[in-house]
Amino acid sequence: MEIRIAHLYPALLNIYADRGNIICLAKNCQWRGIDVVVDEFDLGKKPDWEAYDFFYLGGGQDRDQLLVCRDLAAMGSGLMEAVEAGAVLLAVCGGYQLLGEFYRTAAGETMEGVGLFRAYTVAGQRRCIGNVALESDMEGRRLTLAGFENHSGKTYLRDGQQPLGRVVAGFGNNAEDGTEGIIHKNAIGTYLHGPLLPKNALLTHHLLEKSLKHRYGPDAVLTAVEHALEDEALDVAVRLARR
Amino acid sequence: MMDQIQESRPVMAAKVALAKTVAAASGRAGHSGTTLPGGVIAAIDKGVIGRVSRWLPEGSVLVSATNGKTTTNAMIADILAREGMKVARNREGANLAAGVATALLKDASLTGRPRSDIGLFEVDEFALPEVAKQCSPRTVLLMNLFRDQLDRYGELEHIAERWRSAVMSLGSGTQAIFNADDPLVAAMATLRQDRTLCYGIEDTAAGGKVMQHASDSKYCTVCGNPFEYEIFYMGHLGKYLCPACGYSRPSPAIYAEKLAFDGMRGSRFDLVTPECTVSIKLPLPGLYNVYNALAAAACAFSLGIGPASVKDGLAAFSAAFGRVEQLVIEGKKVVMLLVKNPAGFNEVVRTLLTEPGKKSLLMALNDRIADGRDVSWIWDVDLEVVAPEIESAVTGGTRAGEMAMRLKYAGVDQSLLKVEPDLREALRQALRRTGEKETLYVLPTYTAMLALRQAIHQDFTTDRKLGDLVWK
């Protein structure tokens, strides 16, 4: 079996050690005997959208996100079509914002987003920084997730959109409505930045299983591996967020 | 004019006396007294740095960088001491404006006149514009900018922007020194007409062809297109050129060549200045310490100090607080290597690889404010390269589990890992797992280092008098 991962803009969107998520996906494939291909696509390089099961976008500096924003617009709708066809996508922090409808800066200028997520972001006054924990309903399965957030943009979901989870401790999408992130089909946007996947082993499992199903059909099953160390790190992160 | 600048003697005397009283009181209260007194005065008097530092006969030197400012500052101090100069210095960690003010006030007589000849201050990257504005320095040494604790400092580009404005505001009499190999820093040299000096490494054998993962500033500082690198020395430091606009690394006037490394014991290189070439023997390991020594040498050169003091000062140098400290604990050799951010950690990893054989490690990851609350950065460290050489790793600190997990994903077998958040216990276990003839490498973040020193002081017998090494 094989899973193909497209890492979009790794040179520009890598501010919070986003590489940790890629390392995590690759290792989890290896441990299960699944072949894994990770291809990187920087500015001006367009993937063959149908060839990949998993797309990843990290966070970047403001200046770099602007460059990516223009490039993404020029890429056309390939990424959206891939997601509509069931491909998995994880977009973190800046990547999450870029895939929304728009970003409105403090000066009132509007930057058009891809519109893959039915959500929009406006510049906030206060930076949301700290450990964050949430309760997530992943297709009927309750998951506790934790990570670190650092963003000034406030993201609002359109009516009827499903958040990744409910904030237990921390700020989340906008520090107002208790939501964190978004789920649309197999695409997830979140402010839990950088290496979110290693300590959220059940989320990793979920995303990889969806990737397998994307490639091999609905009967494909991902075998389990032990994740005691991961759970221990998660428990500590949840505890720190609650403090 | 004078009465605007110079306040009445009784007022200044009262402030200096207050600062000294606060320093003594905070010392008694168990604090180090390195920042509080200046903070008290600075709170009531914004101009105190300028008013005291202007009387220093040899002026002030400011040193700033993401990595290496404490070590470089200590190297410059040793070189200045060899010239017989009396130096007013801030202690490491106390590197905001209040820390600089404290150092100046502690040094001053009751009339507010410094007793020392020269001021030498390490300055926090974020605080640089404020301190530079207040003290009109004789020399400003700008060494490097790497991604650091994002939750504290924000984006690297924001720090760079602050540095640019600081450089533009420097007076015409200030000597500004830049690291030519860091494109983000070197580009700032173009913001000044004259009195700039660049230093760098000229030794392609000391670098690599592949960039480390935690690298920043891959894009041209002038036009935004990707740089081409002939060589990478450390992170994004190297020999670079922009194929689009032609901007390239400035030629350094002071450089190191013929680098030779001898593991943990140190390195040798030839220091070339416009006046002479001196062979330098440095008792600290790693390329990053060559950069520190080179920066110190460039600073000494700008101050008109001859090569003999530079050579001797560097040869006799011993590590600053927790940076490559070597000691013997319970009969076992221990090397403590502070790790604060991906670039610094990568250099420590690279230095470990210069020592042959399997390694016994204690990795201590805290997430207190001084360490950075966000521990994401350990995933930007290339731990994969050292993983095959790890014989045993105890992880300690508030994020011991996260560190162990990072090692697992780097390829370390879980049976070699032990998670022990309590640092005293972690140290005990790490020593137990280290063989009689082996070395234990301790890699702590900042507050973990402080806690470990305390543990060493309380629980173990060592070859060194730890009084001055322990956080008081």
Side-chain angles (χ1 to χ4, degrees):
Chain A
M1 284 201 288
E2 183 188 64
I3 290 178
R4 298 176 65 87
I5 299 171
H7 186 181
L8 304 179
Y9 309 106
L12 289 169
L13 303 183
N14 63 14
I15 193 169
Y16 298 112
D18 290 279
R19 192 168 76 100
N21 289 326
I22 302 293
I23 293 170
C24 177
L25 291 170
K27 280 284 169 191
N28 273 281
C29 287
Q30 279 175 24
W31 292 330
R32 292 169 168 96
I34 298 169
D35 293 330
V36 60
V37 174
V38 180
D39 290 329
E40 302 191 335
F41 298 91
D42 277 303
L43 284 183
K45 300 220 174 94
K46 197 167 164 178
D48 171 5
W49 303 105
E50 287 179 8
Y52 295 93
D53 311 299
F54 195 121
F55 296 92
Y56 182 81
L57 270 98
Q61 302 202 49
D62 291 345
R63 190 183 61 175
D64 296 339
Q65 279 182 205
L66 199 63
L67 292 171
V68 170
C69 185
R70 291 192 198 115
D71 199 66
L72 265 175
M75 267 203 201
S77 53
L79 184 60
M80 282 176 85
E81 283 159 18
V83 166
E84 294 307 316
V88 178
L89 178 145
L90 178 62
V92 170
C93 203
Y96 170 34
Q97 295 174 346
L98 288 167
L99 295 185
E101 294 169 2
F102 61 83
Y103 183 102
R104 195 178 297 130
T105 65
E109 294 165 56
T110 300
M111 243 163 60
E112 287 295 319
V114 170
L116 190 149
F117 292 128
R118 292 202 55 218
Y120 62 93
T121 305
V122 294
Q125 299 289 318
R126 186 166 69 124
R127 242 189 135 69
C128 301
I129 305 180
N131 291 294
V132 51
L134 41 140
E135 292 292 342
S136 178
D137 178 357
M138 204 64 76
E139 296 181 0
R141 192 171 181 194
R142 223 171 122 88
L143 299 186
T144 299
L145 305 174
F148 200 92
E149 60 183 328
N150 184 349
H151 56 103
S152 59
K154 298 166 89 166
T155 299
Y156 298 89
L157 310 187
R158 296 291 187 189
D159 284 348
Q161 296 302 301
Q162 188 195 348
L164 172 62
R166 292 271 149 199
V167 174
V168 175
F171 299 100
N173 278 333
N174 48 45
E176 289 162 19
D177 62 16
T179 64
E180 203 303 305
I182 192 169
I183 302 181
H184 169 65
K185 297 217 163 190
N186 293 329
I188 289 178
T190 179
Y191 277 119
L192 271 60
H193 72 214
L196 137 83
L197 294 180
K199 62 177 161 283
N200 292 290
L202 294 175
L203 178 64
T204 305
H205 186 105
H206 174 83
L207 294 177
L208 283 177
E209 188 158 83
K210 289 289 182 189
S211 306
L212 273 187
K213 288 182 194 297
H214 175 254
R215 179 153 289 252
Y216 298 102
D219 295 336
V221 177
L222 191 74
T223 53
V225 294
E226 67 85 27
H227 44 81
L229 206 49
E230 288 81 350
D231 291 351
E232 193 178 334
L234 176 64
D235 284 347
V236 170
V238 171
R239 220 164 45 230
L240 286 164
R242 282 176 180 274
R243 202 154 65 190
Chain B
M1 271 307 279
M2 275 306 279
D3 52 2
Q4 284 182 328
I5 300 165
Q6 197 181 357
E7 60 192 310
S8 73
R9 285 191 169 212
V11 173
M12 184 46 118
K15 283 181 183 173
V16 176
L18 172 59
K20 287 178 189 295
T21 308
V22 175
S26 76
R28 277 195 301 276
H31 301 289
S32 61
T34 50
T35 295
L36 193 55
V40 169
I41 297 302
I44 53 173
D45 178 4
K46 283 272 176 215
V48 69
I49 292 179
R51 219 167 297 125
V52 178
S53 69
R54 63 196 290 270
W55 297 107
L56 285 161
E58 299 287 337
S60 302
V61 174
L62 304 184
V63 179
S64 198
T66 308
N67 284 315
K69 53 187 176 291
T70 301
T71 298
T72 303
N73 197 274
M75 286 173 171
I76 298 169
D78 283 11
I79 293 168
L80 293 173
R82 284 185 184 262
E83 292 283 303
M85 280 200 224
K86 204 163 173 305
V87 183
R89 265 177 85 190
N90 56 339
R91 291 294 152 189
E92 76 116 2
N95 57 17
L96 302 174
V100 174
T102 299
L104 281 163
L105 289 167
K106 273 184 168 174
D107 183 65
S109 67
L110 277 178
T111 56
R113 295 298 165 92
R115 294 191 174 89
S116 293
D117 303 311
I118 189 166
L120 173 60
F121 307 111
E122 68 158 86
V123 184
D124 176 85
E125 304 90 278
F126 200 78
L128 182 72
E130 187 192 346
V131 175
K133 197 172 141 200
Q134 286 191 40
C135 84
S136 309
R138 176 178 174 187
T139 299
V140 173
L141 172 57
L142 301 177
M143 296 167 54
N144 55 63
L145 283 175
F146 290 98
R147 69 175 64 181
D148 201 353
Q149 300 147 22
L150 288 156
D151 54 316
R152 275 179 77 201
Y153 291 102
E155 295 181 357
L156 189 61
E157 183 51 37
H158 293 166
I159 296 282
E161 194 47 48
R162 289 177 72 86
W163 276 28
R164 280 181 213 117
S165 76
V167 168
M168 299 226 273
S169 316
L170 291 175
S172 56
T174 301
Q175 172 77 60
I177 306 176
F178 303 92
N179 185 343
D181 296 347
D182 185 336
L184 202 53
V185 173
M188 295 173 196
T190 61
L191 300 172
R192 282 173 69 80
Q193 293 295 324
D194 44 32
R195 294 195 61 74
T196 64
L197 177 69
C198 286
Y199 67 90
I201 290 176
E202 294 282 7
D203 185 348
T204 46
K209 294 285 179 197
V210 183
M211 191 180 233
Q212 288 162 328
H213 281 102
S215 300
D216 305 294
S217 317
K218 298 157 191 168
Y219 293 84
C220 177
T221 30
V222 178
C223 74
N225 283 292
F227 276 128
E228 272 178 14
Y229 276 79
E230 183 189 327
I231 188 98
F232 294 104
Y233 289 121
M234 181 173 126
H236 64 276
L237 272 54
K239 281 182 107 163
Y240 49 87
L241 166 81
C242 175
C245 77
Y247 174 75
S248 66
R249 165 184 180 261
S251 245
I254 292 180
Y255 57 91
E257 61 176 16
K258 297 179 186 158
L259 278 59
F261 296 96
D262 185 20
M264 282 293 154
R265 284 161 295 283
S267 61
R268 292 167 185 274
F269 63 91
D270 280 359
L271 170 70
V272 184
T273 77
E275 286 163 11
C276 60
T277 299
V278 204
S279 72
I280 300 289
K281 188 169 179 290
L282 186 68
L284 294 185
L287 187 62
Y288 61 115
N289 280 311
V290 172
Y291 267 117
N292 294 336
L294 189 54
C299 182
F301 178 81
S302 85
L303 295 170
I305 292 167
S309 292
V310 174
K311 186 185 167 92
D312 296 347
L314 292 175
F317 186 75
S318 65
F321 205 62
R323 281 106 177 144
V324 213
E325 263 181 331
Q326 312 204 15
L327 55 161
V328 177
I329 303 176
E330 309 284 329
K332 282 175 187 160
K333 231 180 111 185
V334 175
V335 180
M336 183 140 32
L337 299 140
L338 178 70
V339 293
K340 297 194 299 181
N341 48 42
F345 204 149
N346 271 335
E347 288 315 302
V348 164
V349 164
R350 192 149 37 139
T351 303
L352 282 181
L353 291 176
T354 62
E355 287 287 310
K358 294 267 186 183
K359 318 275 181 308
S360 178
L361 302 178
L362 167 56
M363 299 175 113
L365 178 64
N366 271 356
D367 66 351
R368 304 192 197 287
I369 287 168
D371 308 292
R373 306 302 309 255
D374 185 1
V375 295
S376 300
W377 63 277
I378 61 169
W379 293 86
D380 258 339
V381 181
D382 294 331
L383 286 164
E384 283 76 7
V385 297
V386 76
E389 297 197 3
I390 293 177
E391 181 176 56
S392 150
V394 177
T395 66
T398 52
R399 291 301 192 106
E402 183 93 16
M403 192 73 236
M405 193 172 67
R406 175 70 189 97
L407 290 170
K408 173 184 169 182
Y409 281 84
V412 179
D413 193 283
Q414 281 197 76
S415 63
L416 306 176
L417 297 173
K418 170 74 190 159
V419 181
E420 177 48 68
D422 181 88
L423 285 169
R424 291 170 81 165
E425 186 53 32
L427 178 60
R428 196 170 295 128
Q429 293 198 21
L431 284 166
R432 204 177 302 139
R433 289 160 74 122
T434 305
E436 285 304 323
K437 299 259 181 251
E438 290 177 336
T439 299
L440 172 64
Y441 296 97
V442 181
L443 278 53
T445 58
Y446 187 73
T447 70
M449 176 192 75
L450 301 182
L452 282 167
R453 307 176 82 86
Q454 195 66 40
I456 293 166
H457 178 62
Q458 288 174 353
D459 298 355
F460 301 96
T461 55
T462 60
D463 64 326
R464 288 173 69 165
K465 201 168 139 262
L466 273 170
D468 60 333
L469 294 175
V470 174
W471 189 249
K472 281 177 234 164

